[in-house]
Amino acid sequence: MSKPRYGIWAPVGGNFGPLNSPDEPIDASYDRTRSLVLEAERLGFATTLVAQHIANPRSLDLDQLETWTAAAALADATDRIEIIAAIKPLLFHPAVLAKMALGIDAISHGRFAINLVSAWYRPEMERTKIPFPPHDERYRYSTEWLRVVKLLWSGERVNFQGEYFKIQDLSLRPAPISKPHPRVYLGGASDAAQILAAQEADTYFINGQPIEDVRKFIKGVLTRSRNLPKPLRFGLSGFVIARPTEEEAKTEFDRLMALQKQEEHYRLNLAKGIDPEAVMFQIFAKNPAVGGNGGTAAGLVGSYDTVAERISDFVEIGIETFMLQFHPFSKEMNRFAEEIMPRVKRLQLVA
């Protein structure tokens, strides 16, 4: 089994699970994100993901941290942790984004990556009049967009003529510190997302869901054609509720679910803006959960030993990176580092 990498979702939209609770008031500030990422780095977490929205999809009245300025600041504030910035290709011309990414790659001394998502939240596009093509066309656009970005990351002079972009006699300097270029993560559950991930991504993110469903996802993606020499790696999103006993974990799950239910208006508001062709939300509907991006549907709920065993099971089927959510964030992240990480390590030694 490979050694698992643990990461945290940066709280760019506030909290995970209940948005506003007695344990943790809502806070989407950079100061809070910086504090949590520095703490994660100290605890041994390997990576953090900074999601991207122009506006908070749960409500326009809620704060939303801007992704790329935050990622640049985090790159400077940290020393070891990988900084992953999500990017919706519709929002940035590939030449502009490629240059921005090279800048953060330099600031971080090679610890920067992107997470390509082809957009599912319609209102932020409609309200800004940014074109929002149908689902499969967005993936064709993303495929060409990523090709241009990678060509420009090469440091070579680029001439490119495609369906969406034309680049004439352009090269970007300095060349990336990451070799051959910043790592590319990719999220999305549709066939189009899986095809693009298999062809061009370094790591494919799977939203939290039961292990047998994850196994099928991995098996299916690995049957698709691959353009890169290195094998595709896999990451999983999850919300962790770990306690000394199963009963305590179940009690906390029920408590958080009840608090989350009190904020049903946020979920309903978000649902109005979802592209109906976005497959991941069809999966979420089958697996009600605490947290975002599948959350507790990954099954990381239970006693310390149970959660450690489930992580080991996921590693065994091919998951390398675990992008995690907690509530309250700092307290539960520390609990995970103290109780779960060592148990997983011991399980791997036995295996």
Side-chain angles (χ1 to χ4, degrees), residues 91-117:
L91 300 182
F92 288 92
H93 189 282
V96 175
L97 189 283
K99 184 63 175 177
M100 290 167 60
L102 289 175
I104 305 177
D105 176 66
I107 294 168
S108 69
H109 302 286
R111 292 180 290 115
F112 183 64
I114 68 169
N115 178 42
L116 192 150
V117 289

Side-chain angles (χ1 to χ4, degrees), residues 167-187:
I167 305 295
Q168 185 173 349
D169 200 26
L170 177 65
S171 60
L172 300 183
R173 294 288 192 278
I177 294 173
S178 303
K179 298 303 179 189
H181 51 66
R183 176 175 288 273
V184 176
Y185 293 80
L186 190 138

Side-chain angles (χ1 to χ4, degrees), residues 28-260:
S29 68
Y30 171 72
D31 285 346
R32 181 196 184 202
T33 291
R34 179 182 182 276
S35 175
L36 288 172
V37 171
L38 285 171
E39 189 172 15
E41 182 176 67
R42 177 182 62 78
L43 291 170
F45 286 78
T47 185
T48 184
L49 174 57
V50 189
Q52 184 178 57
H53 289 292
I54 294 174
N56 195 308
R58 287 177 284 196
S59 172
L60 288 176
D61 296 326
L62 298 174
D63 291 348
Q64 180 76 28
L65 187 64
E66 198 287 310
T67 303
W68 281 71
T69 49
L74 290 169
D76 187 57
T78 54
D79 296 313
R80 299 180 305 280
I81 197 167
E82 177 188 47
I83 310 296
I84 309 172
I87 177 63
K88 297 175 182 176
L90 295 170
L91 300 182
F92 288 92
H93 189 282
V96 175
L97 189 283
K99 184 63 175 177
M100 290 167 60
L102 289 175
I104 305 177
D105 176 66
I107 294 168
S108 69
H109 302 286
R111 292 180 290 115
F112 183 64
I114 68 169
N115 178 42
L116 192 150
V117 289
S118 291
W120 54 265
Y121 185 55
R122 292 182 291 107
E124 66 183 354
M125 304 298 180
E126 292 169 350
R127 288 175 177 139
T128 53
K129 305 306 178 186
I130 295 172
F132 189 67
H135 180 276
D136 286 356
E137 185 181 350
R138 293 201 302 276
Y139 275 94
R140 290 198 302 274
Y141 183 95
S142 292
T143 299
E144 185 173 306
W145 183 96
L146 183 57
R147 183 182 174 194
V148 173
V149 167
K150 285 187 173 184
L151 285 171
L152 290 168
W153 278 347
S154 72
E156 302 296 325
R157 189 160 296 196
V158 174
N159 286 280
F160 178 88
Q161 177 70 59
E163 181 180 358
Y164 301 104
F165 303 108
K166 180 178 181 180
I167 305 295
Q168 185 173 349
D169 200 26
L170 177 65
S171 60
L172 300 183
R173 294 288 192 278
I177 294 173
S178 303
K179 298 303 179 189
H181 51 66
R183 176 175 288 273
V184 176
Y185 293 80
L186 190 138
S190 65
D191 283 345
Q194 293 181 44
I195 290 168
L196 180 53
Q199 290 177 341
E200 296 293 347
D202 297 298
T203 298
Y204 178 50
F205 269 136
I206 300 172
N207 287 308
Q209 52 195 293
I211 190 168
E212 286 308 315
D213 293 341
V214 173
R215 190 196 304 271
K216 291 175 185 176
F217 251 103
I218 292 173
K219 184 177 179 180
V221 173
L222 289 178
T223 63
R224 301 181 187 274
S225 62
R226 178 101 173 130
N227 291 343
L228 304 178
K230 290 184 178 181
L232 180 64
R233 298 180 180 275
F234 294 91
L236 180 73
S237 180
F239 187 109
V240 179
I241 302 176
R243 293 294 184 272
T245 67
E246 298 290 334
E247 183 179 2
E248 289 173 278
K250 176 64 165 55
T251 297
E252 178 63 4
F253 172 83
D254 291 342
R255 186 184 78 89
L256 292 178
M257 198 65 135
L259 286 170
Q260 191 171 271

